[in-house]
Amino acid sequence: MFSTFKCQIFLTLICIALCYEPTKEDLKCFNDYETEMKCSLSSERLQSCSGHKLNITHPVSNMFEKYTCIFERNHHSDNCECNITVEGFVATEIFNTTLLEGSNVLLYKTFMTSDFIKPKSPVLSVQKTENGNFNVTWDDQYEKHGLVAGNFFEGLRINLTYGIKGGHKNISKTVPNTVRSYEIVAKNLLPNTNYILTATMSTDYNDHSIPSDQSATVEFTTFLPITETGPPLQREPLPADRPSSMQENLVSRVLR
Amino acid sequence: MMKTILLLAVAVFVSSTPVTTSVKPHTDKTPARHTDKALLGELVDELIVAIKDFPKVLPKEKLIFLKDLQMNGLDHKEREVLFCQVEQELKIKVSGLFGARFDHFRTDKKLMRNLNMYNKYHVKTCKLTDEKQDKIPLHDFLKNLLASVRNAYSQVN
């Protein structure tokens, strides 16, 4: 009997060393507050995604919506990922998830909708203005369903980050989604320099705690001013964060 | 030796039970102001869209009549009771009606779900008003409700 007990202990130790026992941190879910809920499973000890799935129950009014989310390997992130389509989200509704490997229950986890909203990534656009500045606009990627602006969209915030391409110092600006545009003043930038711009979005439904994935990068370039009497003026480059006191007429070009 | 075995025995016990965790577990307590704001704000949005589907002028046979509930001049507690009564009234008289224009009022759609979740945190059950009460067309009912929800929203915003 004692040797059987030793055997059990030995097998348990082997399993602890080799078996996959996920923790709550390994399972992450996000919703875009439109139609999609995405979950990912990450662990160094997770050998294969196959056989792993998430049973999800979602109480709606007095009914239960049920979903099965089957994990597959994402080759970019190396995580196991799955997603489901939901018919609209409501801030305080709950998603109860059960992580299974085959029929073996590994983990239970409950999510409240507003707490795990991760907005869609914005799509940026930069246009030069008549006065030589750079007007940044963005598409928040949400369908408005006949509303010009709804409560959720009004609570979105965009965080713009721009800096010299290849440089180390960036400038960040956060503006409400509803302003729809932001102007970068050219005279505050270095002339004849390539800049890159990215952005993320967040929602006040969860106090902006989960930013979206970063947007695709947009590039724009400033040029040296061209004078009528001679070649372009050669000046000491101005640091980007020090506003210039001189009137400069920078010619700029946007590269997309 | 015995200590080691006891520790291992505990390890056996712990490793055989699935982990149960919650991220902000759901409770029946009143949610933070920002969730009230979210629910009421979403209700405003859904009512605006719903009202567009029910214009004021409709043929008599297409009119839907609901109880003329007292919706203005209410204090916070009275408004909570009102929203509970509104949910019941819509569920009983509109949610189950045949036709695509009533889809917005199905219990699995956002208008009713937001109303349901708000009531879950405030007033779950309420006394229904007398059926002999005066009735008004659905359009007017929704307009009055929208004004009341906007009022509630402005007080949490």
Side-chain angles (χ1 to χ4, degrees):
Chain A
M1 181 185 157
F2 191 69
S3 63
T4 308
F5 183 64
K6 264 188 181 175
C7 194
Q8 283 176 339
I9 299 294
F10 176 72
L11 287 172
T12 302
L13 290 172
I14 295 292
C15 190
I16 287 169
L18 298 177
C19 295
Y20 174 58
E21 295 287 346
T23 64
K24 66 174 183 178
E25 286 79 24
D26 292 334
L27 177 63
K28 290 184 173 59
C29 289
F30 299 108
N31 74 79
D32 65 2
Y33 209 69
E34 192 170 61
T35 57
E36 191 174 56
M37 177 171 163
K38 266 187 196 170
C39 294
S40 67
L41 199 52
S42 58
S43 170
E44 287 173 2
R45 292 195 297 173
L46 181 57
Q47 302 287 332
S48 164
C49 300
S50 71
H52 288 85
K53 66 178 180 183
L54 214 54
N55 281 349
I56 303 171
T57 55
H58 171 211
V60 170
S61 293
N62 295 323
M63 302 175 293
F64 282 89
E65 298 287 343
K66 291 184 181 176
Y67 307 89
T68 301
C69 199
I70 297 171
F71 286 102
E72 290 178 354
R73 180 75 61 182
N74 180 314
H75 297 289
H76 297 292
S77 64
D78 216 27
N79 290 337
C80 298
E81 294 183 357
C82 71
N83 60 66
I84 61 170
T85 300
V86 176
E87 190 153 346
F89 289 93
V90 170
T92 54
E93 284 180 352
I94 297 293
F95 288 82
N96 299 303
T97 67
T98 305
L99 178 64
L100 294 148
E101 182 183 10
S103 57
N104 187 29
V105 174
L106 300 178
L107 179 69
Y108 300 107
K109 193 167 180 180
T110 297
F111 300 86
M112 188 166 82
T113 296
S114 55
D115 292 336
F116 71 110
I117 299 172
K118 180 178 174 183
K120 297 181 178 186
S121 293
V123 174
L124 297 174
S125 179
V126 180
Q127 300 277 352
K128 120 188 134 174
T129 64
E130 285 178 1
N131 54 11
N133 293 334
F134 300 95
N135 188 44
V136 181
T137 55
W138 57 88
D139 178 0
D140 56 35
Q141 303 263 67
Y142 284 94
E143 290 181 36
K144 303 298 188 287
H145 297 288
L147 288 166
V148 174
N151 193 60
F152 175 71
F153 313 113
E154 287 176 358
L156 287 171
R157 221 161 60 176
I158 186 165
N159 186 50
L160 300 162
T161 303
Y162 62 96
I164 295 170
K165 188 176 181 181
H168 301 292
K169 198 171 178 182
N170 289 323
I171 297 168
S172 283
K173 296 288 179 192
T174 300
V175 295
N177 182 45
T178 47
V179 303
R180 310 310 300 169
S181 67
Y182 179 79
E183 191 159 293
I184 298 173
V185 179
K187 69 177 184 180
N188 294 335
L189 304 177
L190 293 180
N192 198 34
T193 306
N194 292 331
Y195 282 83
I196 55 170
L197 169 73
T198 58
T200 59
M201 290 204 102
S202 59
T203 171
D204 68 349
Y205 277 25
N206 55 28
D207 296 322
H208 305 283
S209 59
I210 305 174
S212 68
D213 292 338
Q214 195 171 74
S215 69
T217 302
V218 171
E219 280 193 36
F220 58 97
T221 304
T222 56
F223 276 117
L224 282 170
I226 298 167
T227 62
E228 290 180 16
T229 54
L233 294 173
Q234 299 295 322
R235 286 202 185 96
E236 283 295 317
L238 298 168
D241 61 353
R242 195 177 75 196
S244 169
S245 57
M246 300 171 73
Q247 290 292 323
E248 290 183 13
N249 226 359
L250 289 173
V251 174
S252 53
R253 184 180 63 147
V254 171
L255 290 175
R256 279 194 238 163
Chain B
M1 178 67 174
M2 281 304 296
K3 274 187 191 173
T4 306
I5 292 171
L6 278 169
L7 279 170
L8 290 171
V10 169
V12 170
F13 175 72
V14 167
S15 67
S16 63
T17 56
V19 179
T20 304
T21 56
S22 283
V23 174
K24 301 269 177 78
H26 174 65
T27 68
D28 285 334
K29 292 180 188 169
T30 305
R33 280 177 78 85
H34 73 265
T35 52
D36 259 5
K37 177 175 170 279
L39 291 170
L40 291 170
E42 297 275 328
L43 255 176
V44 168
D45 293 344
E46 296 299 321
L47 283 168
I48 288 171
V49 175
I51 285 169
K52 283 181 187 170
D53 284 340
F54 289 91
K56 192 160 178 66
V57 180
L58 269 179
K60 199 175 176 182
E61 62 274 15
K62 289 197 171 181
L63 286 173
I64 308 294
F65 287 91
L66 301 175
K67 288 177 197 167
D68 187 10
L69 300 172
Q70 177 62 39
M71 294 198 192
N72 52 25
L74 303 176
D75 64 29
H76 178 66
K77 283 286 176 199
E78 287 167 334
R79 196 162 44 230
E80 287 184 344
V81 172
L82 166 69
F83 290 162
C84 173
Q85 291 172 335
V86 162
E87 185 186 359
Q88 297 307 315
E89 189 70 359
L90 287 171
K91 254 188 191 169
I92 292 167
K93 293 188 178 155
V94 189
S95 297
L97 289 177
F98 179 78
R101 66 196 185 110
F102 300 108
D103 281 351
H104 211 72
F105 300 95
R106 309 292 179 218
T107 54
D108 63 341
K109 294 295 187 283
K110 288 186 73 168
L111 191 159
M112 295 304 289
R113 282 162 64 189
N114 273 284
L115 192 52
N116 179 257
M117 290 310 295
Y118 183 87
N119 288 331
K120 267 192 175 157
Y121 286 118
H122 293 87
V123 174
K124 283 187 204 174
T125 55
C126 49
K127 195 177 160 187
L128 294 179
T129 56
D130 188 357
E131 197 55 46
K132 291 176 190 168
Q133 194 171 342
D134 288 344
K135 307 281 195 306
I136 55 174
L138 178 58
H139 174 88
D140 295 338
F141 183 93
L142 295 175
K143 282 203 81 176
N144 294 345
L145 178 60
L146 175 59
S148 191
V149 174
R150 275 183 165 145
N151 202 348
Y153 178 77
S154 67
Q155 290 177 12
V156 295
N157 198 14

